[in-house]
Amino acid sequence: MAMTSKLNVEALRREFPALSREVAGRPAVFFDGPAGSQAPQRVIDAISDYLANRNANHGGLFATSVESDAMLDDVHRAAAALFGARDAECTIFGANMTSLTFALSRALARTRQPGDEVLVTRLDHDANVTPWVLAARDAGATVKHVEINRDDCTLDLDDLRSKLSPRTKLVAVGAASNAVGTVNPVAEVCKLAHEAGALSFVDAVHFAPHALPDVEAWGCDFAACSAYKFFGPHLGLLWGRRELLESLPAYKVRPASDDLPGRWMTGTQSHEAIAGLGAAIDYLCELGDAAGKDQNSGAGHTARKPSIRARLVAAYDAITAYERPLGAKLLSGLREVADVRVLGITDPARLAERVPTVSITHRRLSPQAVAQRLADRGIFVWHGNFYALEVSTALGLEPQGMVRIGLLHYNTPEEVDRLIGALAEL
Ligand SMILES: Cc1ncc(COP(=O)(O)O)c(C=O)c1O
């Protein structure tokens, strides 16, 4: 059952300065990744190096601007590889996923008419709900909500099918739930959307720290993620099909370029954060190289340097192979703790349908009380609804929400044991 790990977790943890933090004389346990992961030193260095050596606005003829633009081009290429896309000009950077989604939703609203319909889901973060709801309202379009199966927190695909119609213009779906960890059948949802003549938008924010986005395999029209969830700085990423990005009426100022990606990157960007994103993708690529090295050792490999995409595929294979047994350990440990109820998929045979983001409730203590007691013991978890308001409401958990334990590839079995021990003590 247990897959052999190709990650040297002890070594990679040393790259993350934050992970050496102590609370009350013991190492802190960072299970807060779904709200933002920690950053490796090279990301921190890339940001400072940009500000120290290349800090310039876009499009100048002088050295720092030329170097800065070269860096931007490189990172657009790396971001395209992360999305599984070929066209670097179709990757857009912005403040965060929410802002980018609002910008896209407003542009799409300008193409809508009263009577058009938009589908959002009860499993999604509000950043993949409210931008579409408000844009539909502006255009006089109707919004329909796809329900979830409450027992395992999966999307109700029959409900989705029943709500699609020739009037549906967009289906917005999450790749993975930031509250209960469910991984959605994105390719199937996008296929259903296209069969109905609708566009599809995939929120890959919670997916990207655990698994590699693949816009081609998903067959989606747009996808978005956030660098600060996968070891980078605060920065949003959006990918879209070229013909749509070129033709949609983006909100932009007149002097700004009408070419891609500029027409969607309004205002001056955080170039230092983009440099940091480049370093985060580089970090992931090197995880892939290290995992691949073990596999190929002794094979007398003389092949060309693999592509960024191939290196990322190797990295995420190694991440999944490490995270899945760790998630299984967490779920089996939680099963033994009296008073704790786990939300979402718990069946060990179905772990491929979830990421190791596990939310729980406690029979006697509020989510806030549990999070506080864990914080006192140096274990960092989030409580509340994490903006996944629809899920929390659908599960009857509002206003208190739940406690979320988010595992990433830098977490360890010992940390899981500490959490289980602490929960048992409550
Ligand atoms: C699943 C999901 N979607 C969207 C967002 C919003 O991302 P951002 O903070 O980049 O706007 C989050 C943030 O937590 C998220 O978890």
Side-chain angles (χ1 to χ4, degrees):
M1 183 219 79
M3 290 176 265
T4 357
S5 170
K6 291 192 216 129
L7 294 183
N8 183 346
V9 175
E10 205 185 313
L12 69 85
R13 280 178 66 90
R14 285 197 290 271
E15 278 209 52
F16 290 78
L19 298 183
S20 60
R21 188 181 175 112
E22 297 199 343
V23 172
R26 295 188 74 184
V29 177
F30 290 82
F31 286 155
D32 62 334
S37 52
Q38 299 306 319
Q41 187 63 47
R42 77 183 77 189
V43 168
I44 301 162
D45 290 345
I47 294 170
S48 335
D49 174 65
Y50 179 82
L51 290 172
N53 299 312
R54 263 169 289 284
N55 189 13
N57 214 327
H58 182 46
L61 300 178
F62 47 92
T64 47
S65 184
V66 170
E67 287 169 22
S68 173
D69 281 352
M71 178 278 290
L72 294 180
D73 289 346
D74 283 348
V75 183
H76 277 288
R77 270 192 292 276
L82 183 84
F83 278 117
R86 284 199 195 93
D87 199 340
E89 288 180 351
C90 294
T91 56
I92 316 294
F93 301 135
N96 47 53
M97 176 274 184
T98 307
S99 309
L100 289 168
T101 308
F102 267 117
L104 180 66
S105 72
R106 284 194 204 102
L108 280 165
R110 293 169 81 185
T111 68
R112 300 252 156 75
Q113 295 164 19
D116 287 351
E117 293 176 0
V118 168
L119 250 64
V120 297
T121 89
R122 301 258 185 240
L123 205 48
D124 272 271
H125 186 284
D126 213 50
N128 199 24
V129 177
T130 292
W132 308 117
V133 171
L134 296 181
R137 195 182 295 166
D138 290 347
T142 306
V143 178
K144 291 185 173 174
H145 294 262
V146 178
E147 300 297 332
I148 58 169
N149 301 306
R150 282 173 180 66
D151 51 341
D152 62 359
C153 298
T154 52
L155 264 192
D156 183 342
L157 288 186
D158 290 334
D159 189 54
L160 186 143
R161 280 189 201 94
S162 75
K163 285 174 176 162
L164 279 167
S165 84
R167 288 184 300 279
T168 314
K169 296 294 176 225
L170 179 95
V171 177
V173 66
S177 158
N178 69 313
V180 287
T182 315
V183 171
N184 288 322
V186 173
E188 197 176 341
V189 172
C190 294
K191 186 164 173 278
L192 290 170
H194 288 170
E195 283 167 2
L199 297 175
S200 53
F201 176 95
V202 179
D203 172 359
V205 172
H206 194 68
F207 188 83
H210 305 287
L212 189 56
D214 193 339
V215 294
E216 290 305 326
W218 287 341
C220 60
D221 296 292
F222 304 100
C225 58
S226 264
Y228 75 96
K229 309 284 190 179
F230 59 87
F231 322 111
H234 291 91
L235 182 78
L237 293 78
L238 172 70
W239 169 88
R241 290 203 182 280
R242 177 175 275 273
E243 61 276 18
L244 291 165
L245 293 179
E246 278 179 344
S247 62
L248 282 170
Y251 278 80
K252 58 178 279 298
V253 293
R254 289 171 300 166
S257 164
D258 205 28
D259 295 335
L260 291 180
R263 71 194 304 265
W264 293 92
M265 292 177 51
T266 47
T268 310
Q269 297 295 317
S270 172
H271 291 172
E272 59 274 29
I274 296 171
L277 164 65
I281 295 177
D282 182 59
Y283 164 77
L284 289 165
C285 282
E286 278 192 16
L287 285 189
D289 297 345
K293 215 173 273 158
D294 288 351
Q295 216 168 27
N296 297 332
S297 60
H301 242 63
T302 50
R304 278 187 298 135
K305 195 171 159 63
S307 67
I308 297 179
R309 182 70 184 179
R311 297 167 76 200
L312 289 172
V313 168
Y316 278 92
D317 281 352
I319 286 174
T320 303
Y322 178 74
E323 284 187 359
R324 201 164 286 162
L326 194 64
K329 178 179 170 65
L330 171 64
L331 286 167
S332 80
L334 290 171
R335 214 167 293 134
E336 305 303 318
V337 183
D339 293 328
V340 161
R341 174 182 153 227
V342 177
L343 304 161
I345 294 168
T346 52
D347 180 350
R350 293 181 60 199
L351 294 184
E353 294 174 62
R354 63 140 55 245
V355 292
T357 298
V358 179
S359 282
I360 58 170
T361 54
H362 194 279
R363 245 179 286 280
R364 285 174 294 105
L365 298 171
S366 70
Q368 183 172 350
V370 173
Q372 182 63 64
R373 291 179 197 201
L374 293 177
D376 296 343
R377 292 165 167 79
I379 300 173
F380 303 172
V381 298
W382 276 100
H383 65 284
N385 63 31
F386 335 114
Y387 283 23
L389 180 59
E390 297 286 346
V391 195
S392 189
T393 306
L395 296 175
L397 298 175
E398 281 299 296
Q400 294 195 329
M402 49 208 126
V403 177
R404 179 177 64 185
I405 305 146
L407 306 187
L408 287 171
H409 74 283
Y410 55 55
N411 292 121
T412 65
E414 294 72 34
E415 290 179 328
V416 171
D417 285 337
R418 246 180 87 186
L419 170 88
I420 299 297
L423 285 172
E425 271 171 33
L426 304 183

